[in-house]
Amino acid sequence: MGTAAGGVGSGPRYVQIADEIVQQIRAGVLKPGDMVPSESELVDRYGVSGGTIRKAMVEVRASGLVETRHGKGSIVKNRPPVRHRSSDRFRRSLRQGGQAAYLAESAQSGATAKVSVLYIGPMEAPEDAAERLGVPAGTQVLARRRLYFRNGTPVETATSYLPWDVVKDIPELFAENPGGGGIYARLEDHGHQFAEFVETLQARPASKAEASELALSPGAPVVHLIREARTVAGLVVEVCDTLMAADQFVFEYRIPAGD
């Protein structure tokens, strides 16, 4: 019977087994693309029942380090390292330098970034976005939906909702590539100077459709982030509804300590 690596030896047996498998992945004993031993192999190795191994594998999958493929078993993920989303990502200097936040962050971490535009056009504002924009639900807005990749792996989806009366005279916002600095730079070019960005985050399991779109295991953790872009005039000129693979991001915020 195996023993847990690194001195892990407390808790139920299935937890001990899960800890050992996770440590083998983190130590590189099981490498990206490797198959996790099958249930029967693990039963033989640890001298426990199949039910105990199945419980252990639930814990291993919850770590986000493996993905389960129907008919093939569990495979160690080949996912890129996390990247930071910091409170500095919307600095005006980055926009003026022609860098949108996602591309700037990816470049700083040495990753290859790609943005796939899924939809640009009119849409009836969903209830939550409409409320944040200060318009009735169902009001026509401009929607921009994107899928973001890092080193070839989908890591984030985002849909921006912008008031129609704000964007109708900014043709760049209807283009796939709105130009250097992204949509925020174009809004500022047209007199909408930003005062602040307000973000609300919630962690939750991915739905089946969300897991499929982000190449995650069913029920994998995601971070649902909603951002409001507020101008010095007090207007919310964009609501961005974003879903991120939780194992891809570390959030870093600077919180002023003064009055």
Side-chain angles (χ1 to χ4, degrees):
M1 186 182 301
T3 58
V8 176
S10 61
R13 187 66 181 124
Y14 73 88
V15 173
Q16 297 173 22
I17 294 168
D19 285 345
E20 181 171 338
I21 294 170
V22 166
Q23 289 189 24
Q24 288 175 351
I25 295 171
R26 295 192 188 282
V29 177
L30 288 171
K31 296 178 172 57
D34 285 353
M35 297 294 301
V36 175
S38 67
E39 180 180 317
S40 61
E41 289 174 313
L42 293 173
V43 164
D44 290 342
R45 177 182 300 179
Y46 292 103
V48 297
S49 69
T52 297
I53 294 302
R54 287 190 288 276
K55 284 184 178 181
M57 287 308 300
V58 169
E59 299 294 316
V60 174
R61 285 193 291 273
S63 72
L65 297 173
V66 304
E67 58 181 326
T68 301
R69 298 178 183 173
H70 183 67
K72 292 187 177 181
S74 295
I75 301 171
V76 179
K77 286 183 181 179
N78 182 20
R79 295 185 71 79
V82 297
R83 67 179 180 87
H84 284 73
R85 286 177 68 102
S86 79
S87 52
D88 292 334
R89 68 195 306 261
F90 296 119
R91 290 199 313 271
R92 185 167 287 108
S93 60
L94 289 176
R95 294 194 296 279
Q96 291 174 340
Q99 293 181 294
Y102 178 79
L103 299 178
E105 283 181 329
S106 296
Q108 289 166 7
S109 65
T112 301
K114 177 189 172 186
V115 182
S116 178
V117 176
L118 305 179
Y119 175 79
I120 300 173
M123 180 180 288
E124 292 185 359
E127 185 174 348
D128 182 64
E131 182 178 346
R132 293 171 184 271
L133 290 169
V135 300
T139 298
Q140 179 175 287
V141 295
L142 173 64
R144 295 180 57 94
R145 179 165 172 77
R146 294 90 67 199
L147 178 61
Y148 294 85
F149 295 82
R150 190 172 192 271
N151 293 343
T153 299
V155 296
E156 174 181 346
T157 64
T159 303
S160 291
Y161 301 100
L162 302 103
W164 195 262
D165 60 352
V166 168
V167 304
K168 60 184 173 61
D169 296 323
I170 310 177
E172 296 94 334
L173 296 184
F174 292 80
E176 264 196 39
N177 181 357
I183 65 174
Y184 292 159
R186 299 293 78 74
L187 285 163
E188 286 197 315
D189 288 347
H190 287 77
H192 300 285
Q193 184 176 354
F194 292 106
E196 63 178 355
F197 299 90
V198 179
E199 295 187 333
T200 304
L201 296 84
Q202 179 185 19
R204 59 170 174 78
S207 70
K208 186 174 181 180
E210 291 166 348
S212 176
E213 190 167 39
L214 291 175
L216 299 170
S217 299
V222 290
V223 174
H224 185 199
L225 182 151
I226 298 178
R227 180 174 62 253
E228 297 177 19
R230 299 178 179 175
T231 70
V232 294
L235 296 175
V236 176
V237 293
E238 183 223 25
V239 171
C240 188
D241 191 322
T242 303
L243 194 75
M244 292 166 282
D247 64 343
Q248 291 296 297
F249 297 89
V250 172
F251 296 86
E252 178 181 299
Y253 294 98
R254 296 187 181 188
I255 302 173
D259 294 335

